[in-house]
Amino acid sequence: MRLWKMELYKVLRRPVLSFGLFLIMALQCFIFWIDVSGKQTEIDGNIYKGISAIEADRELTEEYKGPFTLNKAEQIVERFGFSGYGMEFGQKGPRVREGNFCSRWVTDNMTDFSYTETKPSAFKEGEVWKERGQQYLDKRIEFGYTEGWEYFHSLWSWSVLILNVWLVLMVMPVFSEEYSRKTVNVLLTTVHGTCRDIWAKMGTALLLGIAAFLVTTLWLLALTATVYGMGGIDASAGMFDYRVLAVENGSMTVGEHLWQTFGAKLAAVCLNVCITLFFSATYKNIVSAVVLRLVSLYSLAWVLNEVVYSLLFEWMYDSGVIYRFWGWITLDILGIICSSTTYYLSWSAVIGVPQNWKMIIWILLFVIMSAAVWRAAVNYRKEK
């Protein structure tokens, strides 16, 4: 226990970096305040702004809560009309979205407004309807007030991305600092230094990552619950995350979505900490280690998915190779690898993957994290 306390003290004694966690939470609060202050909703000729707009939308959505049908969509449009963009006097471009949560949701998901950004006159059919509107009707989603949860999920994802950068700066000195201070040879001459101290270092780093993730998550959840309330937790997650309709058959609730998202983001944090420990134990220069880790943190995953995967898919599709066994299995393997990176886990990639991928992804993550931790210990002991 003494070793754990000592290692924890060494990690937290950097006041500038420790202050970074407070800045992340302050940034969450500031962005949240900016968003809430800009809210506006129109209900039966009355205009509400700020928190009043959120409360009015919550009360209105209760009237239409339940299985979503075309009849319900028509009732909403008949009462409020479709939602477009309003323009204030003297403005040349759209500034304020008209309508309320219900009319905006129907307009966005049951018409082609998201493509044209022009106020529609009727529900659409054809490809646009089949892609979105018909899916919501066929799945019989549970309609509810999900605006707060949608915003929570988006800001949560960005927060985890920022948190992982902060964790690289906090965790990297765990081993690299011993190299720069020339204390590694002394530590490795003792029994505790070659065994218990190594695991105390890595355990402390993981504890820091998990604790920081829980603190920022609970803080953001508290902000969301205070302003938006906890209503809509039983509504369909497909209302704000279209991936659910395609993969989960539309049956996933917001609560189930948040639980799976929590697991994915926690895995992203743990994966980042383990790989950062590997970099820390491998590179003796702490500056070089930080630069290399930050460069590889998100950019490699993005290039692998957005460039390599896209180009490979286009070539296989044009050549017909995608219809062969080795063609689609190659794309599956590449997709699983992309979904198992810190970057895409931070965006809850597991929500959008086929059901049979999920177990493979968790096994892959366990293997990668175990290998990174084991290799970090081996590399550090080599300095003896």
Side-chain angles (χ1 to χ4, degrees):
M1 183 60 68
R2 184 173 59 85
L3 287 174
W4 282 75
K5 291 181 179 179
M6 181 180 67
E7 294 300 334
L8 184 61
Y9 170 76
K10 288 167 65 177
V11 170
L12 298 178
R13 69 182 175 82
R14 296 183 284 273
V16 175
L17 291 178
S18 299
F19 186 66
L21 185 62
F22 171 78
L23 291 180
I24 293 174
M25 297 172 65
L27 180 63
Q28 288 177 321
C29 188
F30 176 74
I31 295 175
F32 209 94
W33 175 76
I34 291 294
D35 178 75
V36 171
S37 62
K39 291 290 184 183
Q40 177 173 308
T41 192
E42 303 173 26
I43 301 177
D44 298 329
N46 298 315
I47 298 178
Y48 304 88
K49 295 184 178 181
I51 293 181
S52 297
I54 295 174
E55 293 175 348
D57 272 335
R58 287 169 55 187
E59 293 178 4
L60 174 66
T61 308
E62 284 294 318
E63 299 180 26
Y64 299 97
K65 184 179 178 181
F68 186 72
T69 62
L70 182 58
N71 181 55
K72 184 172 292 186
E74 291 173 341
Q75 290 178 14
I76 293 173
V77 173
E78 183 179 357
R79 179 179 175 183
F80 305 109
F82 289 106
S83 171
Y85 283 112
M87 290 172 50
E88 296 179 5
F89 179 78
Q91 292 180 337
K92 296 182 179 180
R95 296 297 180 186
V96 181
R97 185 73 187 275
E98 297 175 337
N100 48 66
F101 171 76
C102 295
S103 63
R104 286 193 291 262
W105 190 91
V106 170
T107 302
D108 290 342
N109 296 284
M110 305 294 286
T111 72
D112 60 356
F113 176 80
S114 59
Y115 294 90
T116 64
E117 293 193 350
T118 301
K119 189 175 183 177
S121 57
F123 294 107
K124 295 294 181 180
E125 297 182 357
E127 294 301 320
V128 175
W129 178 262
K130 291 179 182 178
E131 182 182 347
R132 299 296 291 268
Q134 190 64 52
Q135 293 291 321
Y136 286 111
L137 296 179
D138 292 343
K139 307 295 184 179
R140 296 281 292 185
I141 66 167
E142 189 73 14
F143 191 79
Y145 185 68
T146 59
E147 185 169 23
W149 298 119
E150 179 180 6
Y151 187 69
F152 170 79
H153 180 259
S154 176
L155 187 53
W156 193 15
S157 297
W158 282 109
S159 299
V160 173
L161 290 173
I162 298 172
L163 179 66
N164 276 316
V165 174
W166 176 79
L167 281 172
V168 169
L169 301 177
M170 291 292 290
V171 173
M172 192 62 73
V174 168
F175 291 114
S176 296
E177 192 174 53
E178 306 295 357
Y179 297 143
S180 62
R181 291 185 174 185
K182 309 297 182 182
T183 56
V184 59
N185 294 326
V186 176
L187 290 173
L188 292 177
T189 58
T190 66
V191 176
H192 289 318
T194 57
C195 184
R196 292 184 182 179
D197 188 45
I198 293 177
W199 300 116
K201 288 177 181 293
M202 293 192 285
T204 300
L206 275 170
L207 180 63
L208 172 68
I210 294 173
F213 170 73
L214 292 177
V215 167
T216 53
T217 296
L218 292 175
W219 170 243
L220 185 57
L221 182 61
L223 290 175
T224 304
T226 301
V227 176
Y228 288 94
M230 296 296 290
I233 199 75
D234 295 327
S236 172
M239 286 192 62
F240 66 83
D241 192 340
Y242 188 70
R243 297 173 300 177
V244 172
L245 295 181
V247 179
E248 300 291 343
N249 199 30
S251 60
M252 182 185 293
T253 66
V254 171
E256 293 168 340
H257 184 282
L258 294 177
W259 181 248
Q260 290 197 25
T261 299
F262 176 85
K265 296 183 189 307
L266 179 59
V269 169
C270 293
L271 178 64
N272 177 40
V273 171
C274 291
I275 295 178
T276 301
L277 286 170
F278 166 74
F279 274 76
S280 178
T282 303
Y283 298 95
K284 297 182 179 180
N285 188 301
I286 189 171
V287 176
S288 300
V290 168
V291 171
L292 289 173
R293 178 57 186 143
L294 290 178
V295 168
S296 63
L297 182 58
Y298 297 138
S299 59
L300 291 181
W302 185 88
V303 170
L304 187 64
N305 185 56
E306 301 296 333
V307 180
V308 177
Y309 185 92
S310 297
L311 291 176
L312 189 61
F313 178 83
E314 291 180 7
W315 174 78
M316 286 187 172
Y317 184 82
D318 293 338
S319 62
V321 175
I322 195 173
Y323 301 107
R324 299 180 182 179
F325 174 78
W326 70 268
W328 59 261
I329 201 68
T330 299
L331 289 178
D332 276 2
I333 292 174
L334 189 56
I336 290 172
I337 293 174
C338 291
S339 301
S340 304
T341 59
T342 299
Y343 179 70
Y344 288 103
L345 284 172
S346 299
W347 288 107
S348 313
V350 294
I351 298 293
V353 302
Q355 189 66 33
N356 59 337
W357 282 19
K358 293 184 178 180
M359 183 58 67
I360 300 175
I361 289 175
W362 296 127
I363 293 174
L364 181 60
L365 287 173
F366 176 78
V367 171
I368 293 174
M369 287 189 283
S370 299
V373 168
W374 171 76
R375 196 64 228 183
V378 171
N379 290 347
Y380 183 68
R381 289 189 182 119
K382 284 182 178 179
E383 298 301 314
K384 184 176 179 179

